Amino acid sequence: MTLLEQWRSEAYNENADRNKLQALWSEYFQEEKEVYKKLLANPDEKVKGSVKELAEKYGLTLLHMVAFLDGINDSLVKPNPIEEMDEDTVVSLEFDKELLYKNMVAAQADWLYGLEEWKSIFDEDKLKALYKEQKASSTIKKEAKVYPNDPCPCGSGKKYKKCCGKNA
């Protein structure tokens, strides 16, 4: 069983005691927040190391480091091989700042996208723009329905039913 499979079987175990699972996630989210504070304090540093080395560096258990790598992977400049990594696999934490912020917004992780450290990376207007951009990208927009007596959207000036709607 890979490290990622071990983490997922522990964290998403439907047969586990609910209180234990809640405690696991609560502990993990607090640890995750602390790691992000450190990463965002120096956002241009290219952090690299084995999974085990990074776990030790950030004070995480091996499985919590794997969980962190799983969570940040979509925001990295070059994704890590999380599916098959072991404790000696060298991974990178070089992240795209804008993408990371948007992914935190998409995950509704306000404890992460609300970190003070973001304010030293982006100004308030940029943070608002990234937030709005992410929210808009997940909004489903329905096109306005064209009714038979409406003007044709092709711009001919005819009614839709007499123009493009003929063949519909």
Side-chain angles (χ1 to χ4, degrees), residues 53 57 59 119:
E53 291 168 346
K57 177 179 180 169
K119 293 178 181 173

Side-chain angles (χ1 to χ4, degrees), residues 7 12 21-36 60 64 67-68 107 109 111-112 115:
W7 162 250
Y12 300 104
L21 270 182
Q22 188 174 1
L24 169 82
W25 280 104
S26 181
E27 178 186 353
Y28 170 72
F29 287 145
Q30 188 56 44
E31 292 174 347
E32 176 188 42
K33 183 178 177 179
E34 295 306 314
V35 175
Y36 276 117
L60 301 176
H64 283 193
F68 182 82
W111 66 95
L112 297 177
L115 289 170

Side-chain angles (χ1 to χ4, degrees), residues 7-165:
W7 162 250
R8 287 179 177 169
S9 71
E10 183 180 326
Y12 300 104
N13 184 348
E14 292 182 11
N15 300 322
D17 178 88
R18 289 276 173 228
N19 292 330
K20 285 183 181 176
L21 270 182
Q22 188 174 1
L24 169 82
W25 280 104
S26 181
E27 178 186 353
Y28 170 72
F29 287 145
Q30 188 56 44
E31 292 174 347
E32 176 188 42
K33 183 178 177 179
E34 295 306 314
V35 175
Y36 276 117
K37 282 182 178 183
K38 292 173 185 170
L39 287 175
L40 295 173
N42 193 358
D44 296 319
E45 180 184 2
K46 293 180 169 78
V47 178
K48 230 178 181 173
S50 72
V51 176
K52 185 177 182 179
E53 291 168 346
L54 292 177
E56 290 169 1
K57 177 179 180 169
Y58 293 108
L60 301 176
T61 65
L62 194 59
L63 288 185
H64 283 193
M65 187 67 221
V66 169
F68 182 82
L69 290 167
D70 186 22
I72 197 173
N73 210 44
D74 291 338
S75 304
L76 298 176
V77 173
K78 183 178 177 227
N80 291 311
I82 59 169
E83 297 292 337
E84 64 266 354
M85 68 185 170
D86 60 34
E87 65 181 31
D88 298 319
T89 304
V90 175
V91 294
S92 169
L93 296 181
E94 183 183 356
F95 57 91
D96 177 312
K97 294 179 269 265
E98 289 188 9
L99 183 58
L100 179 61
Y101 186 82
K102 288 184 196 177
N103 285 342
M104 288 175 171
V105 171
Q108 299 177 352
D110 57 339
W111 66 95
L112 297 177
Y113 69 78
L115 289 170
E116 284 296 312
E117 286 76 4
W118 282 112
K119 293 178 181 173
S120 63
I121 299 171
F122 300 121
D123 64 28
E124 198 65 40
D125 290 339
K126 181 68 172 177
L127 289 173
K128 285 179 183 174
L130 290 171
Y131 184 90
K132 286 176 92 174
E133 188 179 322
Q134 175 55 43
K135 289 296 187 180
S137 73
S138 60
T139 303
I140 299 170
K141 297 178 183 171
K142 286 175 73 174
E143 288 189 31
K145 182 163 173 47
V146 180
Y147 293 94
N149 288 324
D150 289 346
C152 191
C154 76
S156 66
K158 298 180 182 177
K159 287 186 179 183
Y160 178 67
K161 67 183 178 186
K162 299 281 186 180
C163 189
C164 294

